[in-house]
Amino acid sequence: MPKSVITTNLPSDGANSTKIAEAFSACRSAINEVSTTGFTLMVNFSIMGYEHFECSFHEKWKEQYDRENYFLHDPVFNWALKNEGAIRWSAIQLPDPLQILEKSQRYGLVYGAAFAALTGSKRSMVFVSRQDRELSDNEMRRLSMVVTEFFDSLLPPPSLSGKELEMLRLHIQQEMSYDEIAEQFSLSLSAVKTSFLRMRQKFGCKSTARLAYLAKERNLFGVEPP
């Protein structure tokens, strides 16, 4: 059964809205190719509002959705609040007590898909719609890839503690071994190895060499004196 999606007028904090819109522009064209009757983007949603919101659905539907507070009962929105990943609207099996799904079809929201993810401690979601047919498997895969890349760009950059940063600096800049670092910090060798494992995990690196490269690329140690 086709589903409708959220078009609320909850307040935005506005702090990063322009930056988020610029990041989203990279995947907007791919979404527009598929969502022939509009899309909705909501970034970092919480009970207090969101950081950024875009909606290109029919204006009369948006007015009705806001006026009737449909988002509280919308199956697609409720799915996105509790799940991560991608799903066609027709695959969502949740109650629709206000018959929002049927009402949305009058405005072209007959088929579509939902994409949702945790972006830090909050949730971000994209809903696409069309009137004529279900999204193909290829379209779902392509949009999943594009939207996931966008969601990932919203995550805060990883950070290291002062102790971790100093360990990494000694290893990279002074070429100290794990054994030497363990002696420097009065730690066991296994504790040092665990610290470097956690650092690699933070940055998604499979090797310490890759971690060292990223540390230099991102200038984690600041500008070195001449």
Side-chain angles (χ1 to χ4, degrees):
M1 183 182 296
K3 311 292 193 252
S4 65
V5 295
I6 186 170
T7 56
T8 81
N9 54 7
L10 289 171
S12 165
D13 67 19
N16 297 316
S17 188
T18 300
K19 183 178 179 180
I20 292 169
E22 291 174 353
F24 185 66
S25 64
C27 62
R28 186 180 279 105
S29 60
I31 289 175
N32 283 333
E33 288 179 12
V34 174
S35 53
T36 57
T37 53
F39 73 87
T40 293
L41 164 68
M42 185 174 290
V43 172
N44 290 339
F45 171 82
S46 72
I47 193 65
M48 301 303 295
Y50 44 76
E51 283 192 272
H52 182 76
F53 178 79
E54 293 184 33
C55 182
S56 59
F57 292 152
H58 196 289
E59 288 299 323
K60 290 185 177 180
W61 173 241
K62 290 193 287 185
E63 292 171 4
Q64 181 178 346
Y65 198 107
D66 292 341
R67 184 175 63 251
E68 303 295 335
N69 288 321
Y70 282 161
F71 79 96
L72 295 172
H73 310 280
D74 187 340
V76 170
F77 181 60
N78 284 323
W79 179 90
L81 284 178
K82 300 173 184 177
N83 296 275
E84 289 82 49
I87 191 172
R88 292 182 178 88
W89 296 351
S90 57
I92 299 175
Q93 301 298 318
L94 291 174
D96 183 16
L98 301 185
Q99 298 182 315
I100 300 172
L101 319 179
E102 179 180 350
K103 295 172 183 176
S104 69
Q105 295 183 44
R106 305 170 192 169
Y107 301 94
L109 284 71
V110 182
Y111 304 98
F115 305 86
L118 278 172
T119 45
S121 61
K122 299 182 180 179
R123 285 190 171 270
S124 295
M125 52 200 80
V126 174
F127 307 103
V128 301
S129 69
R130 59 185 305 127
Q131 188 172 18
D132 55 346
R133 61 171 175 80
E134 292 274 19
L135 276 71
S136 69
D137 290 345
N138 285 337
E139 288 170 333
M140 289 293 293
R141 282 192 292 269
R142 183 188 179 200
L143 286 187
S144 292
M145 180 179 65
V146 168
V147 172
T148 296
E149 184 176 346
F150 167 66
F151 286 155
D152 287 346
S153 74
L154 302 174
L155 295 172
S159 60
L160 300 178
S161 68
K163 185 176 182 180
E164 289 174 329
L165 200 60
E166 179 62 9
M167 283 184 175
L168 188 58
R169 187 191 68 78
L170 292 173
H171 182 66
I172 295 173
Q173 294 183 342
Q174 297 190 24
E175 300 182 349
M176 290 179 63
S177 67
Y178 287 177
D179 286 308
E180 292 171 326
I181 292 173
E183 183 178 354
Q184 176 83 9
F185 285 87
S186 300
L187 296 172
S188 66
L189 179 59
S190 62
V192 172
K193 289 182 177 179
T194 298
S195 293
F196 275 84
L197 173 60
R198 289 174 180 167
M199 284 189 274
R200 291 196 300 270
Q201 290 174 336
K202 285 183 180 182
F203 286 86
C205 297
K206 294 183 178 180
S207 68
T208 302
R210 175 61 181 171
L211 178 62
Y213 172 81
L214 287 180
K216 293 177 180 178
E217 183 181 55
R218 300 184 185 187
N219 195 28
L220 296 183
F221 309 121
V223 178
E224 297 183 21

